[in-house]
Amino acid sequence: MSTQTLYQSLLVGHLIGFLLFAGSTIASFFGFRQLWKQYAIDSGRAATVLQAMSGLQVLLRTGVGVIIPSGIGIMYLTHGVYGEQVWFRIKFALVLLVILNGIIVGRRLRASLDKALKDDPMAVSRIRQRALRFHLVQLAGIFTIILLSVFKFN
C-alpha cells in the first residue's frame, strides 16, 4: 500500500468518524426536542424517548474512537505539517473542547435528566435550558470545526 493510499484511507476514516460524532450530536439535539414535546404530554413517554436516544452515545463514542487514531495517523504521515498551522491549532482546541463538553456537561446533564424525570418535575425546566445551551455549544463547535477544516486560513 502506498503512502498516498494510506493517507487517503486515514482521511476517509477521519471523515467517517467526524460524521458519526457530528451526526449523533445533531440527532441528540432533535431527540431532545422530541423529548420535551412528549414530556408536555406525558412524562412516561419522555422517559421512553430518552431511553431510545441512548443508542446515540454508542455512535458518538465510536466516532471519537475513529477520529483520534486516524488523526494521529494523518499527523504521522504528514510529519506534523498541519500541527504548525494556526487553523489546525484552533481546530484541535475546539475538538478537545467539544469532546470535553460532551463528557463533562453532557454526561452530567443526562444523569440529572434521568433522575428529574423520575423524581423532580420542577428540575426538568432548568435541565431543559441547560440541555439547549449544551447542544448549541456543541453544534457551534462542530460548525466551526468544519469551517476551519475547509478554509484552512493561516
Side-chain angles (χ1 to χ4, degrees):
M1 180 181 302
S2 72
T3 305
Q4 183 65 23
T5 303
L6 181 58
Y7 173 79
Q8 290 171 333
S9 299
L10 287 168
L11 188 58
V12 167
H14 200 65
L15 290 172
I16 289 170
F18 188 73
L19 286 172
L20 287 171
F21 177 75
S24 60
T25 302
I26 292 167
S28 175
F29 173 74
F30 286 107
F32 266 84
R33 288 179 51 138
Q34 185 63 34
L35 181 136
W36 304 127
K37 288 178 185 176
Q38 295 304 317
Y39 184 76
I41 298 168
D42 177 17
S43 62
R45 291 168 117 182
T48 304
V49 172
L50 190 61
Q51 181 64 32
M53 288 172 39
S54 66
L56 293 174
Q57 295 304 311
V58 173
L59 291 176
L60 192 133
R61 285 187 212 118
T62 303
V64 170
V66 171
I67 289 170
I68 292 171
S70 62
I72 290 170
I74 290 169
M75 289 298 283
Y76 176 77
L77 285 178
T78 61
H79 304 290
V81 72
Y82 294 124
E84 301 299 320
Q85 299 175 10
V86 175
W87 68 268
F88 179 81
R89 290 178 181 194
I90 296 170
K91 174 189 160 188
F92 189 77
L94 276 173
V95 168
L96 290 177
L97 287 173
V98 167
I99 291 171
L100 287 174
N101 188 44
I103 291 170
I104 296 167
V105 176
R107 200 175 279 174
R108 196 175 319 152
L109 186 68
R110 175 69 185 245
S112 43
L113 183 58
D114 280 336
K115 185 177 179 183
L117 285 175
K118 295 174 187 167
D119 303 333
D120 190 6
M122 298 302 286
V124 172
S125 64
R126 288 190 311 270
I127 294 170
R128 182 177 184 170
Q129 292 303 316
R130 287 181 20 219
L132 178 61
R133 267 195 317 269
F134 166 75
H135 281 106
L136 290 177
V137 167
Q138 292 293 91
L139 293 172
I142 289 169
F143 179 73
T144 307
I145 290 165
I146 292 169
L147 282 178
L148 290 169
S149 299
V150 170
F151 290 107
K152 299 180 182 177
F153 69 89
N154 274 327

